Amino acid sequence: MNSIENQCSFAHAAKNQMGLLSSAKKNHILANMASAISTQTSVILAANARDIEAGKSAGLSTALIDRLTLTESRIHAIAD
């Protein structure tokens, strides 16, 4: 199994486990995830810049590149 398949398998298992948690616990986990996203903005932006360059090299359309490009405001919106 490749890395993406492993990640998908892990996400599916996590989804099943999340369904068993209380709303309070789920909200706590989501708040922690949002905090991690916010504190790692510079790391996320750097990785996204590499991905965008790879996408341009691969010939992705300008519209798709725009949709995939993250900015600080887009990252903050994701965290919110």
Side-chain angles (χ1 to χ4, degrees):
M1 214 183 301
N2 69 34
S3 177
I4 292 175
E5 289 171 330
N6 286 337
Q7 290 175 358
C8 290
S9 179
F10 181 76
H12 182 73
K15 173 193 68 103
N16 292 335
Q17 292 297 314
M18 288 288 287
L20 301 174
L21 299 176
S22 69
S23 292
K25 185 66 175 172
K26 288 180 209 175
N27 288 338
H28 178 73
I29 290 167
L30 290 170
N32 285 341
M33 291 170 65
S35 177
I37 290 168
S38 293
T39 60
Q40 295 296 314
T41 298
S42 62
V43 173
I44 294 167
L45 287 173
N48 182 250
R50 291 189 301 273
D51 291 341
I52 293 304
E53 285 307 311
K56 287 177 181 177
S57 295
L60 295 181
S61 71
T62 303
L64 184 54
I65 292 292
D66 180 60
R67 286 194 297 275
L68 295 174
T69 300
L70 294 174
T71 62
E72 282 194 35
S73 64
R74 286 181 175 181
I75 291 173
H76 290 300
I78 292 167
D80 286 344

